[in-house]
Amino acid sequence: MSAVDFGIGIYTPPEAARMIGMRPATLRRWLLGYEHDGKFERHLWHPQYDADDDGLLLGFRDLIEARIVNALRDRRIGLQTIRTCIDRARDIVGDERPFSTREFKTDGNTIFLEITRDLEEPIFIDLRRSQGVFKRVVEPTLKDLDFGDEGAERWWLLPGKRTLVADPTRSFGQPIVADHGISTSVLREAVEAEGSVAEVAKLFEIDPAAVRDAVAYEERLTNPKVA
């Protein structure tokens, strides 16, 4: 298995795909490349971990990059168009994973207008005309992220709340309760076993609201929107 570097986070394709709400096989194609009409299509970006005999692993930046690409695919933007956007953004930002950088968040509208300037896909033509390509498609995926100098550092997992987080410096980036570091999956399993949020809150000595948030998050992941 690839060596795990502290602070990068580590996810298998099924784990990452579950958090994003997509198919693991699709995520693997994005990161490893795939055959299409007899031609090999290269990967969209290099993952943070080198794939080895034990398989593909993703870092936290890969997770965020894939989340943004998935948002573009949800708008039926073609993968070749997205590949061109990533290549152009990589040149502008100077980072292998440009969508998960602080620069992309702070100046994303300008960058997105530049990287889509001559693309003929209808959705980009319409969104460029209204200057909404960034705000409508990408900006919503960045609102719940914290950024540092090296890029995305934290993903707050529930909109408008700071109870649950994926932080590559904690629990290898797995979803946890922010104030206590307890895995959301552990809390959900405990509620299923105990049959009561209140009992689990007492057992782990945490706020019942945090337990309810963890259960709600895990239940949402069991029925993801599949891209």
Side-chain angles (χ1 to χ4, degrees):
M1 178 178 290
S2 301
V4 178
D5 293 327
F6 178 76
I8 289 181
I10 186 167
Y11 310 87
T12 64
E15 287 172 337
R18 182 171 179 260
M19 292 175 69
I20 296 167
M22 62 178 296
R23 291 189 178 94
T26 300
L27 183 54
R28 290 181 64 86
R29 287 198 298 271
W30 292 355
L31 290 170
L32 296 177
Y34 58 95
E35 292 282 345
H36 179 67
D37 291 337
K39 177 184 176 183
F40 181 76
E41 300 290 348
R42 61 182 173 82
H43 54 261
L44 296 183
W45 69 92
H46 289 288
Q48 290 175 272
Y49 292 100
D50 291 330
D52 58 20
D53 291 339
D54 291 321
L56 174 67
L57 294 173
L58 289 77
F60 182 73
R61 290 278 305 280
D62 296 321
L63 177 73
I64 300 306
E65 204 80 6
R67 185 175 177 234
I68 294 171
V69 171
N70 193 55
L72 296 172
R73 292 293 287 135
D74 279 349
R75 295 298 295 266
R76 301 186 182 280
I77 296 170
L79 203 58
Q80 291 302 322
T81 300
I82 293 172
R83 187 190 309 280
T84 299
C85 288
I86 291 176
D87 288 344
R88 291 178 177 182
R90 184 180 292 123
D91 289 341
I92 293 171
V93 176
D95 192 289
E96 173 65 21
R97 288 160 285 275
F99 291 166
S100 57
T101 59
R102 180 200 289 272
E103 183 176 353
F104 190 72
K105 181 179 182 180
T106 57
D107 200 23
N109 190 57
T110 299
I111 293 172
F112 227 81
L113 288 173
E114 173 63 19
I115 65 179
T116 65
R117 64 189 181 279
D118 57 0
L119 297 179
E120 297 304 319
E121 193 152 328
I123 187 172
F124 276 136
I125 295 171
D126 291 343
L127 290 173
R128 277 200 304 271
R129 189 176 296 123
S130 65
Q131 294 199 359
V133 63
F134 183 75
K135 290 185 177 297
R136 295 187 192 183
V137 181
V138 180
E139 192 174 63
T141 66
L142 301 176
K143 285 183 177 179
D144 49 16
L145 300 175
D146 290 346
F147 285 79
D149 291 339
E150 300 301 317
E153 292 183 337
R154 230 166 271 107
W155 175 8
W156 298 97
L157 299 170
L158 293 180
K161 290 188 174 184
R162 296 218 159 196
T163 52
L164 309 181
V165 71
D167 181 336
T169 68
R170 303 174 66 188
S171 299
F172 301 104
Q174 296 297 316
I176 58 173
V177 175
D179 289 342
H180 303 276
I182 303 170
S183 165
T184 57
S185 62
V186 166
L187 289 174
R188 182 189 181 183
E189 290 169 3
V191 169
E192 290 175 348
E194 298 292 333
S196 167
V197 167
E199 287 300 316
V200 171
K202 289 180 182 178
L203 179 65
F204 286 92
E205 298 183 338
I206 64 176
D207 190 326
V211 179
R212 285 192 291 272
D213 282 349
V215 171
Y217 173 73
E218 286 292 323
E219 288 180 347
R220 187 181 73 186
L221 294 188
T222 60
N223 296 294
K225 177 178 66 174
V226 178

